[in-house]
Amino acid sequence: MGQGLVDFPCPVTPTLAIDLDIEEAKKTLTCMRFSGTLKLIILIFSFCPFLTHLSRADNDPQAVALLQKVTDAYKNASSFSCEGQYETDMETAMPVKLMGTFKILFVRPDEIRIDWTDTKMGGELITNSVFTQDKTIFFYWGLLNKWAPQKDMETALGTAAGISHGLSYAIPSLLRGKPGYLAFTSLKPPENAVVDGTNCLILAGTTRFGGDMEIAVDPGSYVIRQIKATKVIKHKEIQEQVEKARKEAAKSNPDLVSKLHDVPATPDFTSVEVTTYKDPVFGKELAAGDFVYPVPATTKKVDDILK
């Protein structure tokens, strides 16, 4: 595993530049520093499979119809709340498992709170949060013990996307009417399954990035109960993402390009991510105080969370 600090842009940037409009891409172009090659790889591929537009080719009509109902349910919800857990298994020579919990609160049009946990080296559990307080969006990065106001919700969610294991962009993108999160080149006919104690319909297919995805949907409310994403990660693809990031960085911050290092060669491996949404509810009444994260008094407040 690589040592030292790796300078790398937010992993949503290369994909956004391809599949979203250029102004939105510019908003999310940020730079982060992470320790170790494996963390870099995880950040790139824990998020990229979800940020493309739905392709209609080779999709089962019933699956497409169900997918549209899911998209509409999130886009039209007055509010949303859930808790849950995420788990990522990296099937490498030295298997790696990442686990944590999260909470998502949202009230239209602009109140949001997303908390998620990470585990530090040594086993210490820490919490991070994107939250609303007095009409301002803040990003609290517990891992680095600092917090900062954000320009707007788009910036906050984009900045936190890779850091939050995709949690700040997956469901929030649907709630904000951005269905590119659900991205398939092919969809199979829905199947029945019990997921986390709930009878669900399973939307399964191949994403535009070549990975397989299964989405467990509650057919009564059309909330998503679980997402399972499986992808074989290849060094060549990782390096291509770095090259795309270089090109995007050159447009807005040429000084950043020299800091984007090549990724050391690594064997191909499989990543399996399972995100389970517990007690997801549309339309629940939430108070303004529910969106404020209790930032510890010892936390440093900064102007730029990524510096």
Side-chain angles (χ1 to χ4, degrees):
M1 202 180 299
Q3 301 297 319
L5 291 173
V6 180
D7 290 296
F8 193 74
C10 175
V12 307
T13 301
T15 311
L16 285 173
I18 297 171
D19 297 294
L20 303 183
D21 64 78
I22 189 65
E23 290 305 314
E24 192 166 352
K26 288 178 180 177
K27 288 181 182 179
T28 54
L29 183 59
T30 54
C31 180
M32 298 182 291
R33 295 169 67 87
F34 293 94
S35 175
T37 300
L38 186 56
K39 286 186 180 180
L40 172 64
I41 295 170
I42 291 170
L43 286 170
I44 296 173
F45 285 92
S46 67
F47 187 60
C48 286
F50 305 127
L51 291 176
T52 57
H53 299 299
L54 175 64
S55 171
R56 298 284 172 168
D58 300 320
N59 284 325
D60 174 76
Q62 286 185 314
V64 171
L66 178 59
L67 195 56
Q68 186 62 54
K69 290 179 180 179
V70 172
T71 299
D72 290 343
Y74 280 87
K75 181 177 65 175
N76 297 323
S78 61
S79 70
F80 176 78
S81 63
C82 78
E83 296 186 354
Q85 63 187 39
Y86 69 86
E87 182 174 318
T88 301
D89 287 293
M90 315 292 285
E91 299 175 1
T92 62
M94 296 178 61
V96 175
K97 180 185 288 288
L98 302 177
M99 299 178 64
T101 60
F102 64 89
K103 174 172 70 174
I104 300 175
L105 302 176
F106 175 83
V107 167
R108 203 168 303 282
D110 56 6
E111 290 188 285
I112 196 163
R113 176 174 169 178
I114 306 165
D115 299 350
W116 69 95
T117 61
D118 279 308
T119 304
K120 280 185 169 182
M121 295 292 291
E124 180 185 357
L125 190 68
I126 56 97
T127 301
N128 314 276
S129 183
V130 171
F131 65 96
T132 307
Q133 182 175 334
D134 298 327
K135 303 296 183 180
T136 300
I137 303 289
F138 291 90
F139 183 179
Y140 165 64
W141 198 349
L143 186 64
L144 299 184
N145 195 36
K146 60 183 180 179
W147 67 305
Q150 303 293 289
K151 179 181 177 182
D152 50 34
M153 187 179 295
E154 187 73 31
T155 300
L157 298 178
T159 299
I163 302 170
S164 69
H165 313 277
L167 294 168
S168 76
Y169 227 89
I171 295 301
S173 71
L174 294 176
L175 290 166
R176 294 164 56 246
K178 299 178 181 295
Y181 165 67
L182 301 177
F184 294 91
T185 56
S186 63
L187 268 175
K188 301 175 183 177
E191 296 184 356
N192 295 300
V194 177
V195 176
D196 199 33
T198 301
N199 292 321
C200 293
L201 290 173
I202 305 299
L203 286 168
T206 302
T207 71
R208 280 182 53 185
F209 282 80
D212 295 325
M213 187 188 297
E214 297 178 7
I215 302 175
V217 177
D218 184 331
S221 61
Y222 301 112
V223 294
I224 295 173
R225 302 299 302 236
Q226 189 178 81
I227 298 171
K228 180 180 180 181
T230 304
K231 182 173 177 61
V232 176
I233 298 175
K234 301 180 180 181
H235 175 262
K236 179 181 178 181
E237 294 175 347
I238 298 172
Q239 192 58 50
E240 288 174 352
Q241 292 288 345
V242 173
E243 291 303 320
K244 290 178 183 178
R246 281 196 177 98
K247 293 178 181 178
E248 281 303 308
K251 296 177 183 178
S252 60
N253 190 352
D255 294 337
L256 186 64
V257 178
S258 62
K259 299 178 182 179
L260 302 180
H261 311 305
D262 288 340
V263 179
T266 55
D268 297 349
F269 62 93
T270 300
S271 169
V272 180
E273 301 176 355
V274 179
T275 305
T276 303
Y277 301 89
K278 296 182 177 293
D279 300 319
V281 177
F282 292 133
K284 181 179 178 180
E285 186 174 345
L286 299 168
D290 295 334
F291 293 89
V292 180
Y293 182 82
V295 177
T298 56
T299 303
K300 182 179 179 180
K301 191 172 184 179
V302 297
D303 293 327
D304 188 340
I305 195 72
L306 298 176
K307 290 184 178 179

